[in-house]
Amino acid sequence: MKLLTVEGHKREALGKKDAKKLREEKLVPGVLYGNDEVVHLSVPFASLRPLIYTPNVYLIDLEVDGKTYTAMIQDVQWHPVEEEILHIDFLKIDADRPVKIAVPVKFVGMAKGAKAGGKLKVNMRKLRVKALADNLPDAIEVDITKLAIGDSIKVGQLQKENLEFLDNKSNLIVGVVSTRAAKSVTALDDDDEEGEEGASESEESSEQ
């Protein structure tokens, strides 16, 4: 998984008044949790943009006053009206402890059912997984090439090395559903087959 660096500083004072002052300076008050350690800090809002305005998921090198922590965003509290983060929570990541995180799904290929007039229906764009930080992928690749109309892929069908899927195995990730166009094609095919059968029967009757 890709790694981004965010630089922060320990907060000298806590409380609503101090938090408001930080926000006026375009800084976001936050907390880093992990292993019974709690670090109160602030980070520039600008440095969070690549992390929060993207569907991608990143691990973070969080540099706080000369000390670096591997972390991930656990929670973001937004202002109800303004484009302003009120508070952010980071979770410290240890190399030897599995991480639970939602990873984007990347669909590979063109479903043959879609080529036949069906419609690709995506139910899940992220999957919850559990793995060591070094084994976390940027995305879960799902090959949809062989999906015909009526076919689907469920969580239980996926297998990735060193990765545990946490969503219910019966949850449908993606499928190809029938459309009017697909039904029209099927009806035409059926008519052609019936026509051929009728023609064959007529030829046999004439011969007799």
Side-chain angles (χ1 to χ4, degrees), residues 105 107 111 113-114 117-125 142 144 147-154 171-179:
V105 178
F107 298 106
K119 182 179 179 181
L120 190 71
K121 184 178 181 181
V122 178
N123 285 356
M124 302 179 72
R125 296 192 178 275
V142 177
I144 60 174
L147 288 182
I149 295 175
D151 289 346
S152 63
I153 297 175
K154 297 180 180 180
N171 285 2
L172 191 146
I173 301 170
V174 62
V176 179
V177 296
S178 184
T179 61

Side-chain angles (χ1 to χ4, degrees), residues 124 128 154-156 165-172:
M124 302 179 72
R128 294 187 301 114
K154 297 180 180 180
V155 174
F165 291 95
L166 302 178
D167 293 293
N168 193 304
K169 291 183 179 181
S170 63
N171 285 2
L172 191 146

Side-chain angles (χ1 to χ4, degrees), residues 77-95:
Q77 298 175 25
W78 287 90
H79 189 282
V81 179
E82 305 293 335
E83 186 193 12
E84 180 183 41
I85 298 178
L86 300 178
H87 195 274
I88 187 166
D89 291 349
F90 295 98
L91 179 65
K92 182 182 175 185
I93 303 299
D94 294 317

